Amino acid sequence: MDQAKTLRHLLGRKHATIHPILGDMACDYAACLGRFVLEQQARQDRVAVLFDGSVAGLLQLLPSGSRTDLIEFFNGRSNLEDQVVQLAQGQYLVVASEGLQALVQKPAQAAALLGKLHRMPVSCDRYYATLPYEAVSLAQAFSPGDEWYWVVQPTARSVTRAFQAIRTSKGVDENIQHRVIVAGVKDANEADHVFANLSESTSHLLASPLQYAGHLPALLPGKALNQVSREMIAAGRRIAKAICSFDEHALA
């Protein structure tokens, strides 16, 4: 193991953080992005874990019979290490829709999870969690003063929820760098329009303005996340590469 990787492990054990990907948990875009991030981390010889709070999302990729939820850990019925499912080399998933929803109501209990991350069955370099827009307090408990990723769709409801959550985050932690991924768009022009409107409406709220991190095309209805289009794969990998570069810079 090289010195940089050793340093990452030591930092991870001393200051464990779970990096939030915030979006609409009833849709699969945040989970889809999380999957690409896991793949990109593995390509860079790093081990990553995703706590997936989406309603369906990556459940489609799980082996038959492996469906458990992080809530079992908080209920004391299962150890954290027993919740971890390996998707591929260096890529791990913890199904966490119920568990993260419970933490949204009691974010102070995030410390119980952060304090147990060293119990993972593998040495992990990065941790991520898909969270609903409104989970601002939990995101801050997971990753104070760090990079947050907002997966915003081109609908009035999605943009409004994201705006309200970003506004709320101002009173929680002003040191956050907010990065926006616009998902489910027809083309780059539509994505630029959505981002520009959100950026303008939040410019007076944030110490650092929103940053654009790319866009994802629309998911095909009825398709599992392992059957996404070539366009989605190319876009997802491009954004994941940028996210992993941000992570690497944060550790420099």
Side-chain angles (χ1 to χ4, degrees):
M1 183 180 294
D2 61 31
Q3 290 183 342
K5 194 166 185 178
T6 300
L7 178 61
R8 285 197 296 270
H9 280 294
L10 292 174
L11 289 173
R13 288 171 185 163
K14 187 175 181 181
H15 302 290
T17 57
I18 300 176
H19 304 280
I21 301 173
L22 299 113
D24 186 343
M25 294 297 99
C27 299
D28 287 343
Y29 289 107
C32 187
L33 179 61
R35 181 73 172 108
F36 285 120
V37 170
L38 292 184
E39 291 178 348
Q40 181 61 35
Q41 293 285 14
R43 288 191 185 94
Q44 296 178 209
D45 194 30
R46 293 194 288 264
V47 176
V49 176
L50 176 68
F51 293 86
D52 183 27
S54 65
V55 175
L58 298 178
L59 292 179
Q60 304 165 27
L61 306 181
L62 288 176
S64 177
S66 63
R67 168 70 162 95
T68 56
D69 192 281
L70 185 64
I71 194 67
E72 301 299 320
F73 162 71
F74 285 108
N75 288 338
R77 292 195 288 264
S78 178
N79 294 323
L80 179 60
E81 54 267 34
D82 297 330
Q83 305 289 309
V84 183
V85 177
Q86 184 174 9
L87 297 178
Q89 183 65 37
Q91 303 171 47
Y92 295 86
L93 172 69
V94 178
V95 177
S97 177
E98 297 175 35
L100 290 178
Q101 188 58 46
L103 278 185
V104 169
Q105 307 304 318
K106 297 181 179 180
Q109 293 187 12
L113 177 58
L114 293 171
K116 293 290 186 179
L117 292 180
H118 67 281
R119 297 289 300 274
M120 289 287 182
V122 292
S123 296
C124 301
D125 296 291
R126 303 301 265 178
Y127 305 90
Y128 298 89
T130 55
L131 300 173
Y133 293 122
E134 293 78 15
V136 170
S137 294
L138 179 57
Q140 196 275 339
F142 276 166
S143 188
D146 210 331
E147 310 275 351
W148 292 14
Y149 302 96
W150 299 85
V151 182
V152 182
Q153 294 162 249
T155 66
R157 183 173 184 273
S158 179
V159 172
T160 299
R161 288 176 65 194
F163 166 76
Q164 292 174 342
I166 291 170
R167 181 174 61 184
T168 300
S169 74
K170 180 181 184 297
V172 175
D173 192 336
E174 294 188 352
N175 295 316
I176 303 161
Q177 178 59 69
H178 300 276
R179 302 190 188 275
V180 175
I181 298 96
V182 185
V185 292
K186 297 188 293 291
D187 52 34
N189 289 334
E190 184 179 18
D192 289 343
H193 177 71
V194 172
F195 174 75
N197 285 339
L198 187 59
S199 179
E200 181 179 0
S201 63
T202 59
S203 60
H204 66 290
L205 300 174
L206 303 175
S208 298
L210 296 183
Q211 292 194 9
Y212 182 62
H215 70 275
L216 294 171
L219 286 165
L220 298 176
K223 291 288 187 179
L225 293 189
N226 58 351
Q227 299 175 323
V228 296
S229 66
R230 290 183 180 180
E231 184 185 8
M232 175 65 81
I233 292 172
R237 287 177 175 173
R238 186 165 53 248
I239 294 170
K241 187 174 183 178
I243 289 175
C244 293
S245 296
F246 298 145
D247 287 348
E248 191 68 21
H249 176 72
L251 288 171

